[in-house]
Structures are given as structure tokens and as C-alpha cells.
Amino acid sequence: MSVTIKEVAERAGVSVATASRALSGGRGVRPANRERVLRAAKELDYEPNAVAAALRSRTTNSVGIVVPRISNPFFATLVEAVEREAARGGQGLLLSTSQYDPEVEAGQLRSLLDRRVDALIAVPCHSERSRAAIEAAGQRVPTVQLDLCLDGGGGSWVGVDSEAGILAAVEHLVGAGARTLAYVGSEPTDSSAQARLDGYRGAAPLCPGATERVLLGDFSLEWGHRAARRLLENRREMPEGIVCGNDTIALGVLRELARNGVDVPRRVMVTGFDDIPFAELAEPPLTTVRQPLEQLAAEAVRTLAARLGGGEEPHRRVAIAPELVVRASTRAAPPPR
Amino acid sequence: MSVTIKEVAERAGVSVATASRALSGGRGVRPANRERVLRAAKELDYEPNAVAAALRSRTTNSVGIVVPRISNPFFATLVEAVEREAARGGQGLLLSTSQYDPEVEAGQLRSLLDRRVDALIAVPCHSERSRAAIEAAGQRVPTVQLDLCLDGGGGSWVGVDSEAGILAAVEHLVGAGARTLAYVGSEPTDSSAQARLDGYRGAAPLCPGATERVLLGDFSLEWGHRAARRLLENRREMPEGIVCGNDTIALGVLRELARNGVDVPRRVMVTGFDDIPFAELAEPPLTTVRQPLEQLAAEAVRTLAARLGGGEEPHRRVAIAPELVVRASTRAAPPPR
DNA sequence: GACATCACGGTAATCGTTTACATCCCCGGC
DNA sequence: GCCGGGGATGTAAACGATTACCGTGATGTC
């Protein structure tokens, strides 16, 4: 069927061992022979069989990744960054989605392990029920949790420093003149929601009374609508700044405020979190905390590389500081008096 | 290291051949033996080595996919659908991105072939310069072009019936009372842009003068802005319906119209194409032609399955009719006189 | 009762590489 | 002139499954 290394070796007049050595790295082969092997390979249009190589060398040069879903632009961008990073290192990427179901997730992890991926990247879809499968996987290959992490945190993790991000948003709002704040976020069902909420509470000292108005629902547009309506009930006491747990919520809030004729940013300022593509396209464009996705991906791959190469690397937990992107939904300067 | 089929066979008291047969399908094995093998496998927590199986059986149970990028929500959803469909059939998905570079694309295809994927799905990033690599791949494994296709069209293809989609939009606009139309789309640099433009021209008979205003740029928000400004130059002659080549353009158009105080849908109706997530969130929500992504993915996988199983299947070209989703950016009924 | 048939199970070849180990050769040091 | 060392090669044994092929015993048919 397809041409094998044996035929290349024959044509080059060397043994398969030499051919193999010449083709992979070329160390320990006399230049003349290496030359002949490479030429023969080219002439025969030799395509190495990665499966056979993987079997013998116990290395597939591929990493597996499992995310809740890809249609979520946040994960999509993350996967893309990981793919690029992996491709740069000659690694293939086996992609699976858990669809937010820990059972499915476990099955996918298992399947990836059967396929003998060299390493795993996982965004745990549940902070507790994902534990067993992910820890089991971690026993067999280097595994890093990305973005989300397991409760109580075992294993390596690469994510964003949510507290710092929320703190930056709060500082910005206060600096821009907001005297009262509210937080609209998600119930802390996963580690990110938890960290963002913690971040808000931690920033409370900057603004007296900030923790009094904390509305928790889920990360959806509808929840943004509902929460905004709640805040609108008492127009006079409406806060001057609303910190949202993510951009989707913020967009819902923005829209509900617009419907009720509330001037953003003059009457109320709004911030989001993530910087999804449409944050920029909202009316007004949304000030938000940008997830450093490229850096997350790069760091995740780097962490794996470290654990692959150097034997018993300790578990790493890396939190990357995000960046505040200021747009028209907040003011840069204090309001004129 | 990890437990092999040999140990399973030993524990079950049979030969590896029998163990293998029992584990995969179980045909030609006496129930009693099969039972014992399965039990032994479970007890030892046996994980089959998919790499070894792949080498011998010349089947990796995996398909490769290469798309221009995943951060584009359209491709993301497509990939997700393909992944689900593949997982359903026990197939793994090897993901690559071409980043719109035919060279990179060729490299990725080659790498996937080295990894011996059973089949390939590709969204050609260029209608001509992708040809060589994709056709070469098609020689080695079943390959289907998804969404976009090569110029002149060789090989299998699964995509959407763009002409029918645009036609539906035009019919809808005319039915809702638009007497003058314009088209804002992309230069036909790829097969979709071409087909959508063709669709618009083909629908022209429904609305006299429709083909006089055809503005071509690229599939971007900015182009939507610019095109809208062009149409606004002569306010009186502004068309009553604007058919856009995709949703991104349409969102740009909508925004520019809003800035200029043009009432949508009363003065102008606007349609998009794709139904990206934000079409629904636009102000007003965008009437658009929804890509049947699930169906596309399912059909693509089905096409591959057909070509995998049944020897010399002929090339298929499948165009799936999309569905018009009517929202507030158009009116359902003719305007009151 | 002899013989063809059939279901089942074992032996061993095979998939296409990598790599451990042996060999050979060349060179320098003594 | 001999020996030790090291670099380049070749030989052949892995890697862990699947599967071609053959033997065996049971069954059915005449």
C-alpha cells in the first residue's frame, strides 16, 4: 500500500535502523548516509507511519483536550490557542466535549487515554463530580486543569486570576466616580463563579456598602435581564456601578437598562468579564476584564511540557492576571461636578 | 506498565486470540469463555491499547478535521456538531486549524494523514490554492469538503444551499412589502460568497431593479458600516430591503442605520445569513437564514461512513436547504397603507 | 461407521516503526 | 604493536494488538 521505511532503507542502501535514525533527528549517522536516506525518502514520497512509531516509542505526539463545549466562544478561543500552541510543538490535538455532563466527560477522558495521548488538558465541567475521572487520568498522564478547577484543588491548574480582574473593575468604577456598587453574578457552582464572587467581596473595602447588593443567578443573558429589573425597582437607590460576573450577564443588564431609558454610563456604569467578541459590539461597547486566552493556552502547554520532560515535576498552579479593557459603558474620568 | 491483553488472556485461561475475539465483538467465542474474558478484563481494569490495535487493523477510529479557525462561532458550532456525531460512532476527532493559510492547511492535512486518520473533513480555506493538498488527501482516505468547496468542484462536498437561502430571504422581504432591494455581500472569494451572490442575482426577477444595487466587500462588520453609509448617501432612494451576505455584515449595517436614525424595520428591513448567536441579541433582533449546522455535520459524517464502508462509493455533493428565521428586523406582513 | 461440515480455539505471523545490543572499524595512546 | 574507546551500522527484538491459518472435537448425513 504505502511506502515503508524498509523500502527507503533499501533504496538508500542502508539498514532500517540507520534509516530510522537518519529520519528522526539524524544523530549518530554519517552525513553521507543521512543524505542518501533523506533523498530516498523524498524520491519515494515516504510518509512515516505515526501509529507504528507511537506503538514502539510509546509516544503519540498528541494531546487530548476536553471542554464542556466549543460553541461557547470562550472555549472556542481557548481551544484554538491550545491547538496553535500544540501544533507549534508538532503535537496533534484530540478534541472532545463533555457537554457539561460528568459521565460523558469521564467517557471522553477514558477514550483519550485508550488512544494513548501523551498529555491531557481538561476544563472540568463540575467541581466535584469531575474529580474521580480527572484524578484517575492524572495518574496515567500529565494532566492540567484549564480555566476551571476541581474543588479543593488537587493537580496542576492554569487559569485566570479572577480576584485580580474583579478588583481592577471595581477600582476602575470607583476611580471613575461610582459611589455605590452592585454585583450581578452566578451562584458559585464552579470555581470561576466562586473566585469572581470572592473577588468582589474582597474589593468591598473600596466602596462602603458594596457587598449589600449581590445578586446571584447564572451566567445567562436572561439572568442579566432579571437582575437589572430588580435593580430598577427602586430607581432612586440604583447603584452607580454594576459589576457583572461575565459579559453575557452584562449584555443582558445593558439591554434592560436601555429599554428603561437609563443612561449608560452617565447614570450607571457597567462592567463585564471575559471580553467575548460581542462585548465590543454592544451598545454602548462594554468595559470588561479580558481573559488572557493565548497566555492561558501557552502556559497550559508549557506546564504539560514540563511534566512530560522532567520526570517528577511538582504540580503547578498558575493564575494569570487579566487585563481591564475600558470602553464606553464606563467613564474614564470622574464626572464633572 | 499497563495491563495487556496477554495478561487478560492468562487470567481467563484462554489464548490471546480468543481474548481478542471476545473483547471485540465476541463472535466465534463460546459464551462461557467470553464471559470469563470480560470478567478478567474488568478485574484487571484492562484498557485496550488503541495504538496497537490501529497498527494491526489499519484503522484508527479517528477522523481529522481542518477548519480555517475555531474562534469563528460558525466553525466552532460546526466542529462541535462533528465531534458529537463522531463520538457517537466511537470515532475520535483530530482537530487542526489552517488559519486561512493554504500552506499551513497542507501541512495539517499531511500531519493528519501521517497519523493515519480514517477519514478527513476539510473546510478549504482557499478555493484554488487548497486544491492540491485536498485532492492529494482524497487519494489516500475518504475526504469530504464541508461548507466551502474547491473551485470547479471535485470530490465530495456537503454544504448549504445558499441560493435557496437567499431566495427565501428575498421572497420574505418582497412578501413583507419591500419594493426596492439592495445586496450587501462579499466579493466572491470563496464558494459561499459566490453562491450567495448568485442566489441574489437569481432572485432578482422577484423585484425589478434588485440587481442594480449590489455592494461587494468582505464578510466584516466594518464593511457593513461602510456599505450602509453608501446607501445612506441618497436617503430618498434608500432601498426598503437590504439583503446581507452574512450576519456580521448585517450587524454592521444595522448599527450604522441606527446611528443615522433610520427606523428598522419600518423604513428599511434587513436580513442576514448564518444565524450566529448574536443575531438574536442585536437591536432589533436580526431576521436571518439559519445554517443547518447539525444537519451539515451529520451529513458529512454520514458521507464519510458511506465511503468508508462500501468500497467505491461515488462522490456525493449534498446541498442542504437552510431555514429562514424571521425576527424583528423585518416585518412579517405588508405595511398598512 | 465413514466422511464432510462446522464452530471454536490456539499458534504464530503481522502491522511499521524504534531501539537494545552486538559488531566492526578507525584512531590514539602507550 | 596492542589495546581501549567511541562512533557508525546492522541484526533482531520489542511494542500490543488483530487475524490468517490450522487443528480439534462435535455434529450431521448417508
Side-chain angles (χ1 to χ4, degrees):
Chain A
M1 194 58 162
S2 104
V3 25
T4 74
I5 201 176
K6 198 172 151 198
E7 304 168 52
V8 173
E10 265 165 26
R11 176 176 257 257
V14 299
S15 72
V16 290
T18 303
S20 171
R21 283 187 279 253
L23 289 168
S24 54
R27 286 156 40 94
V29 176
R30 204 165 35 191
N33 273 344
R34 184 154 66 98
E35 191 65 23
R36 289 164 64 190
V37 170
L38 294 180
R39 183 145 35 85
K42 184 155 291 177
E43 285 165 4
L44 294 174
D45 193 26
Y46 167 66
E47 303 191 11
N49 184 327
V51 174
L55 176 59
R56 175 62 229 235
S57 66
R58 304 167 148 283
T59 308
T60 51
N61 283 315
S62 61
V63 329
I65 186 170
V66 28
V67 299
R69 39 190 319 171
I70 335 174
S71 49
N72 176 331
F74 170 70
F75 294 129
T77 312
L78 207 48
V79 167
E80 175 159 322
V82 168
E83 192 272 337
R84 255 205 307 272
E85 199 63 35
R88 187 202 314 279
Q91 302 269 314
L93 187 70
L94 270 156
L95 173 71
S96 308
T97 59
S98 66
Q99 297 163 74
Y100 288 105
D101 180 340
E103 308 269 330
V104 175
E105 186 179 56
Q108 302 281 23
L109 286 171
R110 174 105 187 185
S111 160
L112 291 172
L113 287 176
D114 284 356
R115 296 190 140 86
R116 297 300 192 266
V117 292
D118 293 341
L120 274 173
I121 295 177
V123 178
C125 67
H126 193 286
S127 57
E128 282 157 21
R129 291 166 55 213
S130 292
R131 171 179 299 284
I134 289 186
E135 288 188 342
Q139 300 287 83
R140 317 210 3 81
V141 300
T143 299
V144 48
Q145 297 160 44
L146 187 54
D147 184 41
L148 304 183
C149 64
L150 296 173
D151 249 15
S156 288
W157 169 77
V158 171
V160 83
D161 187 342
S162 301
E163 280 94 340
I166 293 284
L167 180 62
V170 170
E171 277 175 348
H172 168 67
L173 288 175
V174 171
R179 285 160 303 181
T180 51
L181 292 184
Y183 178 73
V184 179
S186 154
E187 291 283 354
T189 49
D190 66 43
S191 60
S192 275
Q194 180 70 59
R196 291 175 192 183
L197 178 56
D198 290 349
Y200 183 74
R201 294 209 165 113
L206 293 178
C207 178
T211 54
E212 282 163 25
R213 273 182 293 191
V214 169
L215 306 182
L216 299 182
D218 57 23
F219 282 132
S220 72
L221 201 79
E222 289 69 33
W223 166 237
H225 287 161
R226 285 214 310 282
R229 275 198 293 275
R230 284 248 279 280
L231 291 172
L232 280 163
E233 277 167 11
N234 195 334
R235 217 47 178 246
R236 300 234 128 215
E237 296 192 357
M238 210 166 55
E240 294 179 359
I242 303 178
V243 177
C244 297
N246 80 349
D247 286 351
T248 318
I249 294 179
L251 293 175
V253 167
L254 275 187
R255 174 183 277 201
E256 194 65 29
L257 292 176
R259 280 193 192 141
N260 287 273
V262 177
D263 184 345
V264 175
R266 252 175 292 251
R267 174 62 186 86
V268 184
M269 295 185 278
V270 177
T271 66
F273 203 114
D274 284 349
D275 196 23
I276 64 176
F278 265 85
E280 198 174 353
L281 306 181
E283 206 41 64
L286 184 66
T287 292
T288 188
V289 178
R290 173 180 296 162
Q291 297 252 16
L293 296 172
E294 297 289 335
Q295 288 175 58
L296 286 182
E299 192 60 42
V301 173
R302 195 151 39 222
T303 298
L304 289 177
R307 303 189 45 97
L308 269 177
E312 284 307 308
E313 206 70 17
H315 288 298
R316 285 209 258 179
R317 299 186 75 79
V318 181
I320 300 177
E323 168 197 7
L324 184 73
V325 180
V326 177
R327 300 203 184 95
S329 72
T330 61
R331 287 171 303 234
R337 290 270 162 159
Chain B
M1 195 61 162
S2 105
V3 26
T4 73
I5 201 174
K6 197 171 154 200
E7 305 168 51
V8 172
E10 264 166 25
R11 175 176 258 259
V14 299
S15 72
V16 290
T18 304
S20 171
R21 283 186 280 253
L23 288 168
S24 53
R27 287 155 40 94
V29 177
R30 204 163 33 194
N33 274 345
R34 184 153 66 99
E35 190 67 22
R36 290 166 61 193
V37 170
L38 294 181
R39 184 146 34 84
K42 183 156 292 176
E43 285 165 2
L44 294 174
D45 193 26
Y46 167 66
E47 302 191 12
N49 184 326
V51 174
L55 176 58
R56 175 63 229 238
S57 66
R58 305 167 147 285
T59 307
T60 51
N61 284 314
S62 61
V63 329
I65 186 170
V66 27
V67 299
R69 40 190 320 172
I70 335 172
S71 49
N72 176 331
F74 171 70
F75 293 129
T77 313
L78 206 49
V79 167
E80 174 158 323
V82 168
E83 192 273 337
R84 257 205 305 273
E85 198 63 36
R88 187 200 315 277
Q91 302 268 316
L93 187 68
L94 270 157
L95 172 71
S96 309
T97 58
S98 66
Q99 297 164 77
Y100 289 105
D101 180 341
E103 307 269 331
V104 175
E105 185 178 56
Q108 303 281 23
L109 287 170
R110 175 102 186 191
S111 160
L112 290 172
L113 287 176
D114 284 355
R115 296 190 139 84
R116 296 303 194 263
V117 293
D118 293 342
L120 274 173
I121 297 177
V123 178
C125 67
H126 194 286
S127 57
E128 282 159 17
R129 290 167 54 212
S130 292
R131 170 179 301 282
I134 290 187
E135 287 187 343
Q139 300 287 82
R140 319 214 356 86
V141 300
T143 300
V144 48
Q145 297 158 46
L146 187 55
D147 183 43
L148 304 182
C149 64
L150 295 173
D151 249 15
S156 287
W157 170 77
V158 171
V160 82
D161 188 342
S162 301
E163 279 94 339
I166 293 285
L167 181 61
V170 170
E171 278 176 347
H172 168 67
L173 288 176
V174 171
R179 287 161 303 184
T180 49
L181 293 184
Y183 178 73
V184 179
S186 154
E187 292 285 353
T189 49
D190 66 44
S191 61
S192 275
Q194 180 71 58
R196 292 175 191 182
L197 178 56
D198 290 350
Y200 182 74
R201 294 211 166 113
L206 293 177
C207 177
T211 52
E212 282 163 25
R213 273 182 292 190
V214 169
L215 305 183
L216 300 182
D218 57 23
F219 282 132
S220 73
L221 200 79
E222 289 69 33
W223 166 236
H225 287 161
R226 284 215 310 281
R229 274 197 292 275
R230 284 249 279 278
L231 291 172
L232 280 163
E233 278 168 10
N234 196 334
R235 217 50 177 243
R236 304 233 122 216
E237 295 193 356
M238 209 168 52
E240 294 180 359
I242 303 178
V243 177
C244 298
N246 81 349
D247 286 352
T248 315
I249 293 178
L251 293 176
V253 167
L254 275 186
R255 172 181 278 205
E256 194 64 30
L257 292 177
R259 282 192 190 141
N260 287 274
V262 177
D263 185 344
V264 176
R266 251 175 293 254
R267 174 61 185 85
V268 183
M269 295 186 279
V270 176
T271 66
F273 202 113
D274 284 347
D275 197 23
I276 63 176
F278 262 81
E280 199 174 353
L281 305 182
E283 206 41 65
L286 183 67
T287 291
T288 187
V289 178
R290 173 180 296 162
Q291 296 252 17
L293 296 173
E294 297 290 334
Q295 288 174 59
L296 286 181
E299 191 61 43
V301 174
R302 196 153 38 227
T303 298
L304 289 178
R307 304 190 42 107
L308 269 177
E312 284 307 307
E313 206 71 17
H315 287 297
R316 287 209 256 178
R317 300 187 75 80
V318 181
I320 299 176
E323 168 199 6
L324 185 73
V325 180
V326 177
R327 300 205 183 93
S329 72
T330 62
R331 287 171 302 236
R337 292 272 162 158

